[in-house]
Amino acid sequence: MNIVRPIKSVEDLGDAGLIAERDRAALSEVAARYAIALTADVVKLINRDDPADPIARQFVPDAAELVVTAEERADPIGDHAHSPVEGIVHRYPDRVLLKAVHVCPVYCRFCFRREMVGPQGLGTLDSNAMKAAFDYIREHSEIWEVILTGGDPLVLSPRRLKEILGELASIEHVKIVRFHTRVPVVDPHKVDAALIDALKASGKTVYVALHANHPRELSAEARSACARLVDAGIVMLSQSVLLKGINDDPAILADLMKAFVETRIKPYYLHHPDLAPGTSHFRLTIEEGQKIVSALRGRISGLCQPTYILDIPGGYGKADIGERAIRKVDEGSHLVSDYRGGEHRYPPAE
């Protein structure tokens, strides 16, 4: 029998026939720095006959990750600059990130938090840190939305999720709870009645933002998992990253956005790749990205149009770079306006 198992190491990748023997030494060096994990569902999506398979490129390590360019940084979007207590990022006035856990069911090779997530990362918040995080949310009445991210919050057990949401239920000024996750795509069978019950435990309005980058990720099983969430009254949004060799084609991107809408997921953000270490082989230029996004206009319904954004390095927040918030100043350099009207050079000056 061909049994598909989860993958956690270079040895597992070799045993599964997903890497060549000659690449093991270099990939072991990658694995020593950045976590590896593929679920069985992801492994089943990989086309082993395609050396440039877009699913494999997202999750199978590459020696190119050892190349770090001058503009890359361990905290590319400036989480640490806006972290008043452990596990909280308060970048915008009315919302905070709550990073309860720093592990994921899979590890994307382009992850902007790759220095923080995984077994070598920041781990799970202990009870004292969680109490401090909830105390911070309680003390700041301007916080209208709490976004659970990390790491992937849906790796937590339904019991643990209920505990977290029970705390949020007691905070009157929090009205919206949002989860950022890959679980419905990479481990769809985890989305069961117990998980859905836990997500709704707060009595708040709940949103789930699903991360997927290629239309093949929206498998029949993934669509069924999303249907269970939506049928339970949970609104779903999409997040994707524009990635070289994966979805940097208007036709592929259009198919992805249409797949979201067919699955009752509203396309939300299309991220320009962040300046995470060892990810330059995934990044397009902003002009290339703008051209691809512009080509979606007229090709697909307005329901399918995402917002093309850049997280400004240094912690200045997101900017819509479709056309309005960015201008070129010289070859390879831009000025990006943040939501307060400040201008920032991209890439940042060394």
Side-chain angles (χ1 to χ4, degrees):
M1 291 178 63
N2 237 351
I3 300 173
V4 178
R5 294 185 174 89
I7 287 173
K8 301 282 188 180
S9 66
V10 171
E11 291 71 24
D12 290 345
L13 288 165
D15 293 345
L18 291 172
I19 60 170
E21 184 64 33
R22 65 180 180 275
D23 296 328
R24 285 200 186 211
L27 296 184
S28 293
E29 192 175 344
V30 174
R33 181 165 185 182
Y34 306 118
I36 296 172
L38 292 78
T39 60
D41 290 275
V42 166
V43 174
K44 287 187 288 188
L45 290 175
I46 293 173
N47 178 2
R48 295 159 189 270
D49 296 326
D50 181 2
D53 178 68
I55 308 300
R57 273 183 56 79
Q58 292 186 63
F59 303 107
V60 175
D62 189 307
E65 294 174 52
L66 299 173
V67 178
V68 178
T69 60
E71 70 272 15
E72 293 175 343
R73 48 189 63 192
D75 181 19
I77 69 168
D79 278 355
H80 294 325
H82 297 280
S83 186
V85 299
E86 185 181 2
I88 292 286
V89 178
H90 196 175
R91 182 178 285 109
Y92 300 99
D94 71 337
R95 55 206 182 273
V96 295
L97 304 183
L98 173 55
K99 299 193 288 184
V101 63
H102 287 87
V103 296
C104 300
V106 294
Y107 292 106
C108 305
R109 309 322 305 169
F110 50 86
C111 178
F112 69 100
R113 291 195 180 115
R114 63 197 328 232
E115 299 275 6
M116 308 171 201
V117 301
Q120 83 293 351
L122 300 179
T124 301
L125 295 189
D126 62 25
S127 58
N128 290 333
M130 286 298 295
K131 181 182 183 305
F134 288 128
D135 287 345
Y136 181 87
I137 295 169
R138 283 192 183 89
E139 291 161 5
H140 289 263
S141 60
E142 72 274 21
I143 296 172
W144 173 79
E145 180 182 23
V146 174
I147 302 166
L148 281 103
T149 181
D152 193 318
L154 296 195
V155 302
L156 295 169
S157 69
R159 178 192 62 79
R160 188 74 185 97
L161 286 170
K162 272 193 173 182
E163 290 174 356
I164 292 170
L165 286 159
E167 290 284 349
L168 295 177
S170 69
I171 304 175
E172 175 62 26
H173 54 264
V174 173
K175 305 298 183 184
I176 308 294
V177 181
R178 191 194 327 169
F179 292 85
H180 284 201
T181 185
R182 263 193 176 281
V183 163
V185 161
V186 303
D187 194 7
H189 303 292
K190 185 175 173 63
V191 182
D192 58 13
L195 178 63
I196 291 169
D197 183 55
L199 295 183
K200 299 184 71 176
S202 66
K204 309 289 187 181
T205 300
V206 177
Y207 285 76
V208 169
L210 176 69
H211 179 177
N213 300 311
H214 193 275
R216 274 184 25 223
E217 294 177 64
L218 276 298
S219 64
E221 292 83 3
R223 293 183 186 223
S224 292
C226 294
R228 293 192 289 275
L229 290 165
V230 176
D231 289 345
I234 295 171
V235 181
M236 294 193 70
L237 309 167
S238 79
Q239 291 209 118
S240 304
V241 184
L242 186 58
L243 298 163
K244 185 183 293 187
I246 293 170
N247 57 18
D248 57 334
D249 178 298
I252 293 172
L253 208 55
D255 285 346
L256 173 62
M257 297 303 151
K258 288 192 285 188
F260 282 136
V261 172
E262 291 163 10
T263 313
R264 294 180 286 172
I265 299 170
K266 177 66 183 84
Y268 183 37
Y269 281 155
L270 176 65
H271 294 262
H272 189 77
D274 295 309
L275 297 173
T279 63
S280 61
H281 55 296
F282 287 112
R283 286 199 298 276
L284 300 87
T285 66
I286 284 173
E287 289 78 15
E288 288 170 331
Q290 288 173 325
K291 185 176 180 180
I292 291 167
V293 172
S294 178
L296 293 179
R297 296 292 173 188
R299 182 186 290 264
I300 52 176
S301 163
L303 286 173
C304 303
Q305 301 289 341
T307 300
Y308 183 34
I309 65 159
L310 172 72
D311 253 306
I312 306 170
Y316 297 101
K318 295 177 176 64
D320 179 348
I321 57 170
E323 292 175 359
R324 297 188 297 277
I326 191 165
R327 59 189 175 88
K328 190 170 183 177
V329 291
D330 52 51
E331 192 59 38
S333 295
H334 301 76
L335 283 178
V336 190
S337 299
D338 65 33
Y339 71 102
R340 294 187 180 93
E343 285 195 322
H344 312 275
R345 184 171 288 271
Y346 180 84
E350 293 182 35

